[in-house]
Amino acid sequence: MAAAIWASSSSFARALHPLLSRHTSLSPLNCSLHRFKSASCLFFSTSSNKPPKFAVYAQARRALSPKIKGDEMASPADLSFEGPLKIVEYPDPILRAKNKRIGTFDDNLKKLVNEMFDIMYKTDGIGLSAPQVGMNVQLMVFNAAGERGEGEEIVLVNPRVSRYSRRMIPYDEGCLSFPEIYGDVERPDSVKVDAQDINGARFELTLTALPARVFQHEFDHLQGVLFFEKMTDEVLDTIREDLVALEKKFEEKTGLPTPESINTRKIKKAAVGFGKS
């Protein structure tokens, strides 16, 4: 999981809207952000609590995105699904499985994207990755307005990161796969991304501030990384009991032992590559 307006002369520019938490301390970096006191977390929005619209800018241009060595391509079976989709919750092993690269851009993919937006809106989310709905493919969608018909719907297929900024920003994040669980996560303030759109066209863009964070949260899901792995030990301790409760819920629902345990697993922070911004 998936925050302001960003625009450029490129056809790949899209509009987003801000949802800022109490930890917002984002200074302008090709953007203009303002604090929104009543928002409690990044990845949820409600119709009764809408933020004002401010501008954040991203520059986009066409670029070639070479296939990463070792990537496995998704088969028709990997992209086969029946609606309505359902949110996959921690600690379901689907959230840790390898996500395959998409090579077919057809009506079925468009249908999957539409279904992902549908459940995202129904669950009050503003960002969603394919593994969160049981599809282990490299696909994410988001709309920071949080409501159909408002803002802009963004689709990124087979995204890659070529550069992270050095500036790290803390933020109170939530995730649809971790209902009602929030915690501070530090992430780079800007990121350079290469991706494909719904028709397979490749493009490159630079996201800053809140849009960069939304992207990074969803991109982590595509790497099998969950947001609590980016938390400090102190922050993690504040949600440990909630994670244990989700593990017990999984066991009761499936009759299977939890595939991972927050109390026995050594947290390994996911590596973040840094380059000059």
Side-chain angles (χ1 to χ4, degrees):
M1 219 148 119
I5 296 173
W6 39 285
S8 78
S9 59
S10 166
S11 61
F12 296 106
R14 300 290 187 268
L16 303 176
H17 300 269
L19 261 184
L20 311 183
S21 78
R22 66 183 183 276
H23 301 289
T24 300
S25 60
L26 307 180
S27 60
L29 182 63
N30 290 331
C31 65
S32 174
L33 291 176
H34 296 258
R35 192 171 190 175
F36 180 57
K37 297 179 180 179
S38 58
S40 60
C41 67
L42 175 60
F43 294 97
F44 295 86
S45 65
T46 62
S47 58
S48 61
N49 205 12
K50 298 179 183 177
K53 299 178 181 179
F54 298 106
V56 172
Y57 300 96
Q59 297 175 340
R61 62 180 177 87
R62 284 195 175 275
L64 293 179
S65 178
K67 182 185 175 188
I68 302 300
K69 185 177 180 179
D71 267 0
E72 184 177 353
M73 297 300 292
S75 68
D78 293 318
L79 288 163
S80 177
F81 70 96
E82 292 184 6
L85 299 174
K86 295 182 179 179
I87 298 294
V88 174
E89 294 184 2
Y90 171 84
D92 195 303
I94 288 174
L95 296 175
R96 298 296 193 178
K98 185 175 179 60
N99 295 296
K100 298 178 181 179
R101 189 173 179 84
I102 295 172
T104 302
F105 298 82
D106 56 10
D107 288 341
N108 182 68
L109 181 61
K110 292 180 174 67
K111 181 180 178 182
L112 173 58
V113 166
N114 287 334
E115 291 281 345
M116 288 177 65
F117 275 119
D118 282 344
I119 190 165
M120 186 189 80
Y121 293 130
K122 289 176 182 177
T123 53
D124 293 328
I126 64 173
L128 189 65
S129 64
Q132 289 182 276
V133 292
M135 305 292 293
N136 287 121
V137 294
Q138 296 179 25
L139 171 67
M140 69 170 74
V141 303
F142 53 93
N143 177 2
E147 292 186 34
R148 190 179 296 280
E150 296 189 20
E152 292 291 334
E153 297 181 337
I154 314 302
V155 178
L156 294 178
V157 184
N158 302 326
R160 290 286 182 263
V161 176
S162 60
R163 180 180 295 174
Y164 292 91
S165 68
R166 293 183 180 276
R167 185 169 186 251
M168 302 292 287
I169 300 293
Y171 211 101
D172 195 28
E173 290 189 13
C175 180
L176 292 177
S177 293
F178 295 78
E180 303 303 319
I181 297 177
Y182 314 109
D184 275 1
V185 177
E186 279 198 348
R187 296 189 189 273
D189 189 46
S190 67
V191 61
K192 188 176 183 180
V193 179
D194 180 280
Q196 290 171 273
D197 65 18
I198 192 65
N199 297 309
R202 293 186 175 103
F203 62 97
E204 184 180 85
L205 70 161
T206 298
L207 301 174
T208 64
L210 212 43
R213 178 170 292 272
V214 175
F215 166 81
Q216 289 176 79
H217 181 102
E218 303 306 331
F219 184 72
D220 275 353
H221 276 297
L222 300 187
Q223 313 310 306
V225 176
L226 303 177
F227 80 140
F228 68 80
E229 295 176 274
K230 300 290 184 74
M231 297 176 183
T232 64
D233 291 341
E234 291 77 13
V235 173
L236 184 59
D237 283 341
T238 67
I239 66 168
R240 189 177 299 275
E241 291 185 3
D242 295 321
L243 296 179
V244 170
L246 284 179
E247 293 166 2
K248 291 180 178 179
K249 179 181 176 181
F250 176 87
E251 292 179 331
E252 293 171 356
K253 181 178 179 180
T254 65
L256 301 171
T258 179
E260 62 181 283
S261 171
I262 192 62
N263 285 331
T264 60
R265 177 177 178 274
K266 182 178 180 181
I267 301 301
K268 294 182 179 180
K269 302 246 178 171
V272 174
F274 293 96
K276 293 181 179 179
S277 58

